[in-house]
Amino acid sequence: MSMRPGTEQRVLDAAEELFFTRGIAATPIDAVLERAGVSSATLYRGYPSKEALVAAALDRRHEDWVATWDRALERATDDRGRLLAVFDALDDYRSTPTGSRWCAFLGTAAEYVDAPEDLRAVLDRETGTLRRRLTETARPVVGDRAPALAEQLLLVVSGSLAMRLRDPVADAATARAVASALLP
């Protein structure tokens, strides 16, 4: 049996807010239950474990992130702008209600040395999405060098997200400048 959509929304909202601002290990499942206003039986009807709930929250976050990146891509006016749109998307996403001070995917990967399969799958999917989309948007700019440039940009994106731990108001301007310097 699954949850009603409204209940599931409340559970995922609570999980996302608590896990990705306080930390997963630091957030007991009771805090999620209290914030969502549901019983443990209701929660476990939809998610058999805390990790399954984290994976579902990350899945939803991934969809939101991709939609934010798509909007940034739509605003770009040329190939170079489309490639660098990932940095606009980072700043745009951060300003959304679900945007936190840094990356929930990096935080989750850091908290789980040996992530359970459901979490590993969502983390790998998010990294794969970044790598694939960066490669696709790099191809018109650098041709066959696109996979190598995508790896460099993936590092710059990850570094930009990590810097938000050191400076909570940091934006992606420096990362964009570093990425721009990598381009012809």
Side-chain angles (χ1 to χ4, degrees):
M1 180 186 279
S2 63
M3 285 187 237
R4 288 185 245 173
T7 302
E8 184 173 29
Q9 179 78 28
R10 285 196 327 273
V11 167
L12 289 174
D13 287 349
E16 187 166 353
E17 177 186 345
L18 296 171
F19 291 152
F20 306 143
T21 57
R22 294 182 182 177
I24 298 162
T27 303
I29 204 69
D30 289 344
V32 176
L33 295 171
E34 184 178 326
R35 178 70 49 94
V38 299
S39 68
S40 58
T42 298
L43 175 74
Y44 289 115
R45 190 176 319 131
Y47 305 102
S49 66
K50 184 178 185 179
E51 287 75 21
L53 178 58
V54 173
L58 286 171
D59 271 333
R60 185 176 77 163
R61 194 172 186 91
H62 182 258
E63 291 172 14
D64 291 345
W65 158 243
V66 169
T68 301
W69 192 356
D70 284 344
R71 287 188 296 277
L73 285 166
E74 289 170 8
R75 292 191 309 265
T77 59
D78 60 15
D79 291 336
R80 184 181 174 97
R82 279 184 281 287
L83 179 56
L84 297 174
V86 67
F87 300 103
D88 298 327
L90 289 176
D91 287 338
D92 293 348
Y93 190 78
R94 186 173 191 186
S95 69
T96 66
T98 59
S100 65
R101 65 188 189 118
W102 86 303
C103 180
F105 296 93
L106 292 175
T108 300
E111 285 202 50
Y112 287 90
V113 174
D114 189 21
E117 187 176 325
D118 51 353
L119 275 178
R120 177 83 277 145
V122 73
L123 293 171
D124 290 347
R125 186 164 55 94
E126 188 268 344
T127 302
T129 297
L130 277 168
R131 184 172 280 126
R132 178 182 51 77
R133 289 173 65 113
L134 288 169
T135 301
E136 289 169 359
T137 56
R139 199 163 308 282
V141 178
V142 297
D144 292 342
R145 282 193 40 236
L149 179 60
E151 289 303 313
Q152 292 170 329
L153 293 176
L154 184 57
L155 183 62
V156 173
V157 166
S158 297
S160 178
L161 290 164
M163 283 305 296
R164 292 176 186 205
L165 289 173
R166 295 179 184 268
D167 182 1
V169 297
D171 62 19
T174 300
R176 180 186 255 281
V178 169
S180 292
L182 297 171
L183 303 180

